[in-house]
Amino acid sequence: MLTQNLGYPRIGINRELKKACEKYWAGGLDENQLQEIGSQERKKNWQVQKEAGVDLIPCNDFSFYDHVQDISFMLDVIPARFRSLEGKLSALDLYFAMCRGYQKDNLDVTAMEMTKWFDTNYHYIVPEFVKNQSFKLRNKKIIEEFLECKKNGVIDPKPVIVGPISFLLLGKEKESDFHRIDLIDSLTDVYIEFLKELSGYGCKYIQIDEPFLVTDLEDQVKETYSRVYRRIRNEIPDLKIILATYFDDLGKNLILAVDLPVYALHIDLIRGENQLENVLNTIPKDMILSLGIVDGRNIWKNNFETSLKLIDIAIQNHGFKKVWLAPSCSLLHCPYDLALETNEDSLPKEVKSWMAFAKQKLKELITLKKLKSIKENVYNELFTDLVFNAKLHAEKKISPLINNPKVENKLQRLLKNQAKRNSEFQIRIEKQDAKYGFGILPTTTIGSFPQTKEIRGKRSDFKKGEISEEEYESFIKSEIKNAVQWQENIGLDVLVHGEFERNDMVEYFGEQLDGFAFTENGWVQSYGSRGVKPPIIFGDVSRSKPMTVKWSQYAQSLTDKKMKGMLTGPITILQWSFVRNDQPRMLTAFQIADALREEVLDLEKAGIDIIQIDEPALREGLPLKQSRWEKYLNWAVKAFRICSLGLKDETQVHTHMCYSEFNDIIKAIADMDADVISIETSRSQMELLEVFSDFEYPNQIGPGVYDIHSPRISSVSEMKDLLEKASEIITIKNLWVNPDCGLKTRQWDEVKPALENMVKAAQMIRKEKVLNNHITIN
Ligand code: GLN
Ligand code: ZN
């Protein structure tokens, strides 16, 4: 029985690679220095895995930016717009230019698109394919890293690469009239070329990731799988292919997968916990089965008792030597090392004792293997591990830190509740119109204003204890005051306080809710050099005191205009955290929702009667298989609706969504029944609105007219055009005017003119409408 690792984090235990890349981009390091840091990081990773005792250690899991982009680059999948840079830049700089765009020497080449890696928060660079796409080996990264790994004392390094079919499926066609899967034969030629070369260098194992095998596949793609893997097998019969699937069970593709002529099949027993029996019933006797038994995507300790049961079943059915152990997926999605966490205020000792990061997970893997392979008489030390692990999980189950009986009672009531507002939208909106009288095209923003260096500095001073709470708060107040005054001056209708007091839209709430803990070094790569440090939801979530009322109330006291309260929604909080795994995600979402409901009611009581609950991550939670969408959407939508239970009809609930596909979940979005939704669209020139011509969105909607990702300032007439375009599809009385998203990443000198133009654009249309149609405006 072997253990294998599928991939290790690569940003550096102290984010060395992130810092080095950023320094290199700023001109503070030369290429050799950056390459040296890359090689140091690889070395450290291999060392840790060797010391842990992992049998099959991955290589080529390293990347300076993204592992999908590495393949695009290696195979010369370089979009035409970058070709002009080819002679000008070094290979590394060209690679980075594709990831980050290039704006220098009068050249302006836009970056490649980025999107989420399956249902994780990791973003990859989307390969761009053209009709007559050709592939060739432009570099030999995979071979070089194999040789480097060997040189570093790993006996049989296992290169890791995304398989040819998943690689194509991850990409996009940039020309019409063809399907990217049509490119498979010429792509396979090049895969075979480097696989042969690897084999020639003595490479025995290769891990080929085909995560698309857990998704719904068209028949044509299924056939392609059989054909491609037969070809690879025939051409390089000696190379042992480990076909890795993860993030869900194989489902309907099980027979397809076990029929592929590969040496080993890896399955995810964390996300696909119920597939073991079916796999054991169908897998050929001589194929190795790699059990993804240690959660590669969450931070909880493995429950040995549960794992050993599954391992036993596998061994009994498939034989000791044919079963391997592994993490469920690459450990890329986990922080490095729990030992770095020493702050017991943010991460209580007891909670920490339940957790495992990448390094600890490797150890769990080895312990599980030993528990199954060492003879009874040397069992002692391991036996202690086993007993300790069982005791820990038993105690965790009843820990008062996790269990809050009050939350449990409320939950029972919520489960039965339909979670509907008191009246239908039509009744509510009439009352709201009568109360607020905004007239047509009301203007607002999404919530945050620029988080300036000064603000971040003050917050960090406050956290370090260098300034008092009083001083910090009065600073935030002055920022709010300026922002409110400015919004009033330019004539916005619904104002915001600016979210200056928030470090992050999830962390801010997590820090004030019970059931959350935080790490100091628990960084996970989000994209390129960017990392996130997700909060940890370890127990029942509840709210002990108001979280936002003070700031909203203060902001409202400064103006006669309407101030919008601003909350992060339950699904977004859930999606962007490490979530407890001892109860269904739905229940955790309902607990968060119920805490937010209390906040919403407190805001209403304090006179804040327009409240926005952001759900930008609603779509991210969608299961990979469409057959499970409905169930997820039902509870996700319900969680959102729980937040506004018991509000007066006059209280106007807004939500906000951005940067995802909305078309196929538009019905669920409508079911959320927010009175107003603001939604990002300006990047696609209102293309998104097409969906609203087929589906009449029942409530009010503000399509974004200001692309907040660009420093460019749109003119009044550009924004007016967008609004006119929108008004052709959405009745003007349902239209709001707002930017695409929050403005925290922008500069004030961009935000000010852009929002002034936005307000002017709305005002111009209002005037025209009054003149032409005699619509009266209050
Ligand atoms: N209210 C948040 C803000 O304005 C929304 C951010 C988001 O959608 N990601 O920053
Ligand atoms: Zn947004």
Side-chain angles (χ1 to χ4, degrees):
M1 181 156 72
L2 297 188
T3 52
Q4 64 160 343
N5 187 22
L6 269 53
Y8 209 65
R10 55 196 178 213
I11 49 176
I13 191 160
N14 292 308
R15 291 185 296 156
E16 290 85 348
L17 191 69
K18 168 213 167 68
K19 291 172 196 162
C21 283
E22 288 176 355
K23 205 162 171 193
Y24 174 75
W25 297 331
L29 282 184
D30 66 24
E31 182 166 339
N32 284 336
Q33 291 169 312
L34 180 62
Q35 291 288 4
E36 178 53 30
I37 290 169
S39 110
Q40 287 306 325
E41 286 310 313
R42 294 192 286 274
K43 194 172 176 164
K44 282 190 236 166
N45 277 1
W46 291 326
Q47 193 63 29
V48 171
Q49 296 176 78
K50 250 184 351 190
E51 275 164 16
V54 178
D55 297 309
L56 289 181
I57 294 174
C59 59
N60 200 43
D61 54 341
F62 173 85
S63 177
F64 275 117
Y65 204 96
D66 163 47
H67 56 271
V68 179
Q69 165 66 1
D70 288 352
I71 305 176
S72 299
F73 198 68
M74 181 174 82
L75 302 184
D76 203 36
V77 183
I78 296 182
R81 64 184 183 280
F82 293 98
R83 291 290 177 189
S84 64
L85 297 175
E86 261 196 293
K88 263 196 167 77
L89 304 181
S90 71
L92 183 68
D93 285 347
L94 179 60
Y95 168 91
F96 281 139
M98 290 165 69
C99 302
R100 309 177 62 235
Y102 187 83
Q103 253 176 334
K104 240 193 221 163
D105 326 321
N106 285 328
L107 284 169
D108 187 358
V109 190
T110 52
M112 291 173 73
E113 196 183 317
M114 203 162 59
T115 196
K116 295 211 170 230
W117 175 247
F118 298 88
D119 58 350
T120 72
N121 270 330
Y122 175 79
H123 300 68
Y124 71 94
I125 305 272
V126 182
E128 297 181 13
F129 299 115
V130 290
K131 201 170 170 182
N132 60 355
Q133 184 72 52
S134 61
F135 303 96
K136 67 164 196 240
L137 265 191
R138 181 187 173 95
N139 67 37
K140 301 205 168 164
K141 175 179 185 287
I142 188 169
I143 294 161
E144 285 158 10
E145 281 185 27
F146 168 76
L147 295 173
E148 182 189 351
C149 185
K150 229 176 152 128
K151 230 190 240 160
N152 275 280
V154 175
I155 314 268
D156 278 317
K158 175 190 66 169
V160 177
I161 191 160
V162 175
I165 298 168
S166 288
F167 175 64
L168 286 178
L169 292 177
L170 286 166
K172 261 192 181 171
E173 293 90 355
K174 286 287 150 172
E175 285 173 351
S176 52
D177 252 18
F178 83 108
H179 191 288
R180 56 199 187 283
I181 209 73
D182 300 339
L183 305 170
I184 190 64
D185 289 330
S186 57
L187 177 65
T188 307
D189 289 345
V190 188
Y191 266 74
I192 288 173
E193 186 187 334
F194 68 74
L195 290 176
K196 269 191 182 155
E197 199 169 336
L198 271 170
S199 172
Y201 278 112
C203 173
K204 290 194 192 132
Y205 299 96
I206 173 112
Q207 176 188 320
I208 303 190
D209 289 6
E210 288 284 6
F212 272 99
L213 279 171
V214 309
T215 67
D216 307 314
L217 294 177
E218 285 166 25
D219 288 343
Q220 190 207 353
V221 175
K222 288 189 194 165
E223 283 160 25
T224 310
Y225 266 108
S226 308
R227 196 158 47 80
V228 165
Y229 281 88
R230 294 218 140 68
R231 253 193 87 191
I232 295 178
R233 170 60 178 256
N234 289 341
E235 298 257 4
I236 323 149
D238 293 338
L239 189 60
K240 296 185 162 100
I241 294 175
I242 301 158
L243 187 75
T245 68
Y246 40 78
F247 300 154
D248 204 343
D249 58 40
L250 284 160
K252 289 189 179 137
N253 302 324
L254 172 62
I255 299 298
L256 169 69
V258 296
D259 274 348
L260 296 176
V262 294
Y263 179 74
L265 174 68
H266 172 84
I267 58 170
D268 183 338
L269 288 182
I270 303 294
R271 297 265 162 155
E273 66 267 27
N274 296 325
Q275 64 178 327
L276 183 60
E277 203 186 313
N278 287 341
V279 174
L280 287 169
N281 285 337
T282 45
I283 190 167
K285 279 275 152 291
D286 58 346
M287 190 185 284
I288 300 278
L289 179 61
S290 163
L291 306 177
I293 198 93
V294 169
D295 196 342
R297 287 181 60 171
N298 212 334
I299 43 75
W300 305 109
K301 266 199 181 126
N302 190 268
N303 187 327
F304 288 164
E305 212 178 318
T306 321
S307 297
L308 289 172
K309 268 188 206 141
L310 293 174
I311 298 169
D312 278 337
I313 296 174
I315 291 177
Q316 275 157 24
N317 283 274
H318 203 54
F320 184 75
K321 290 201 166 146
K322 293 283 172 201
V323 174
W324 289 0
L325 303 181
S328 59
C329 58
S330 166
L331 296 173
L332 174 71
H333 310 287
C334 271
Y336 273 83
D337 188 356
L338 188 63
L340 297 183
E341 302 303 328
T342 51
N343 184 341
E344 289 178 16
D345 292 335
S346 49
L347 184 64
K349 224 175 170 170
E350 192 178 345
V351 177
K352 186 180 163 188
S353 77
W354 302 330
M355 290 164 54
F357 287 176
K359 189 172 172 192
Q360 288 72 38
K361 283 170 190 285
L362 293 180
K363 178 149 188 261
E364 292 182 337
L365 203 60
I366 304 306
T367 308
L368 284 168
K369 170 179 160 169
K370 285 187 182 157
L371 280 165
K372 281 290 110 197
S373 34
I374 291 175
K375 302 241 158 48
E376 303 278 324
N377 47 6
V378 275
Y379 216 45
N380 276 338
E381 190 189 321
L382 288 167
F383 196 65
T384 326
D385 278 353
L386 187 59
V387 171
F388 183 77
N389 185 277
K391 190 165 161 261
L392 181 115
H393 281 97
E395 281 169 4
K396 179 180 172 193
K397 225 182 223 159
I398 51 168
S399 166
L401 267 184
I402 290 191
N403 302 287
N404 180 342
K406 271 196 218 135
V407 175
E408 175 61 24
N409 288 338
K410 276 200 232 155
L411 208 56
Q412 289 309 326
R413 262 181 283 141
L414 285 177
L415 284 169
K416 287 179 212 126
N417 197 312
Q418 286 288 310
K420 284 208 166 114
R421 288 191 65 179
N422 297 337
S423 309
E424 299 291 310
F425 172 73
Q426 280 315 328
I427 297 174
R428 298 194 312 258
I429 201 71
E430 267 173 39
K431 293 189 190 171
Q432 291 166 20
D433 278 347
K435 184 167 176 190
Y436 308 123
F438 295 131
I440 60 162
L441 297 180
T443 53
T444 190
T445 62
I446 307 303
S448 61
F449 279 128
Q451 280 274 330
T452 57
K453 243 200 198 126
E454 200 190 356
I455 297 176
R456 277 175 287 150
K458 281 273 192 251
R459 181 154 46 244
S460 125
D461 290 349
F462 169 53
K463 283 202 169 156
K464 280 189 245 150
E466 283 165 15
I467 59 170
S468 67
E469 181 162 359
E470 233 178 357
E471 194 177 329
Y472 175 66
E473 296 208 339
S474 80
F475 168 77
I476 296 287
K477 277 187 175 169
S478 71
E479 292 292 303
I480 294 178
K481 196 168 181 176
N482 292 339
V484 170
Q485 243 157 36
W486 178 77
Q487 293 174 81
E488 242 183 14
N489 289 346
I490 68 160
L492 278 155
D493 296 303
V494 176
L495 313 194
V496 297
H497 75 286
E499 302 181 22
F500 303 111
E501 78 287 8
R502 303 185 187 175
N503 38 354
D504 170 276
M505 67 186 285
V506 172
E507 197 171 87
Y508 181 76
F509 290 92
E511 276 175 346
Q512 303 188 72
L513 289 166
D514 292 328
F516 282 76
F518 298 87
T519 64
E520 292 192 297
N521 294 289
W523 293 98
V524 178
Q525 188 176 18
S526 167
Y527 66 90
S529 68
R530 300 292 287 264
V532 290
K533 204 154 59 68
I536 292 155
I537 307 179
F538 63 85
D540 287 341
V541 175
S542 61
R543 191 196 73 144
S544 50
K545 56 180 189 315
M547 304 182 280
T548 64
V549 175
K550 180 172 80 182
W551 297 116
S552 288
Q553 216 169 11
Y554 171 72
Q556 181 67 84
S557 76
L558 302 168
T559 176
D560 293 333
K561 291 250 174 122
K562 279 281 137 199
M563 182 60 56
K564 186 160 62 166
M566 202 57 62
L567 304 173
T568 303
I571 300 302
T572 301
I573 292 181
L574 187 80
Q575 248 349 90
W576 293 351
S577 303
F578 285 122
V579 182
R580 60 191 287 191
N581 61 357
D582 57 351
Q583 71 177 17
R585 292 170 77 81
M586 174 183 85
L587 296 184
T588 307
F590 286 3
Q591 290 179 357
I592 302 168
D594 195 51
L596 289 168
R597 181 187 61 82
E598 292 173 1
E599 183 71 13
V600 163
L601 288 175
D602 277 347
L603 281 168
E604 184 185 60
K605 228 187 277 162
I608 306 295
D609 43 17
I610 300 184
I611 301 164
Q612 178 173 311
I613 307 166
D614 294 327
E615 282 292 27
L618 181 81
R619 196 180 199 287
E620 286 170 25
L622 269 188
L624 293 173
K625 292 185 181 65
Q626 203 148 4
S627 56
R628 297 195 190 125
W629 281 22
E630 193 179 317
K631 194 170 162 207
Y632 161 76
L633 287 170
N634 277 340
W635 65 253
V637 166
K638 181 167 173 181
F640 179 84
R641 293 204 312 225
I642 287 172
C643 303
S644 32
L645 263 181
L647 283 179
K648 292 183 196 140
D649 288 350
E650 288 81 357
T651 300
Q652 188 167 72
V653 175
H654 289 218
T655 189
H656 163 70
M657 275 176 212
C658 49
Y659 307 106
S660 43
E661 280 291 326
F662 304 110
N663 299 22
D664 45 11
I665 59 163
I666 190 71
K667 282 210 175 64
I669 296 177
D671 280 346
M672 290 163 73
D673 199 27
D675 297 305
V676 182
I677 181 171
S678 60
I679 202 159
E680 158 263 340
T681 40
S682 73
R683 217 179 20 164
S684 61
Q685 293 292 306
M686 298 276 159
E687 237 171 59
L688 176 100
L689 292 180
E690 273 166 31
V691 54
F692 295 106
S693 16
D694 304 332
F695 176 80
E696 197 179 334
Y697 185 76
N699 304 2
Q700 300 200 332
I701 180 164
V705 292
Y706 162 15
D707 176 4
I708 65 102
H709 276 158
S710 168
R712 240 188 114 244
I713 294 150
S714 303
S715 64
V716 177
S717 71
E718 276 173 280
M719 296 206 217
K720 190 167 165 260
D721 283 350
L722 288 177
L723 284 173
E724 273 158 1
K725 229 171 172 176
S727 71
E728 283 162 20
I729 299 165
I730 296 166
T731 28
I732 199 155
K733 71 173 201 346
N734 283 344
L735 260 191
W736 281 67
V737 182
N738 46 259
D740 266 346
C741 189
L743 301 163
K744 58 181 164 243
T745 57
R746 296 254 67 89
Q747 310 288 323
W748 272 112
D749 58 3
E750 299 156 354
V751 165
K752 285 187 172 174
L755 288 181
E756 280 167 22
N757 288 351
M758 184 186 89
V759 172
K760 278 185 203 144
Q763 284 167 347
M764 276 170 79
I765 301 182
R766 285 186 206 172
K767 266 200 205 116
E768 287 170 17
K769 290 283 167 195
V770 177
L771 291 176
N772 299 342
N773 304 342
H774 312 286
I775 294 178
T776 42
I777 297 178
N778 304 325

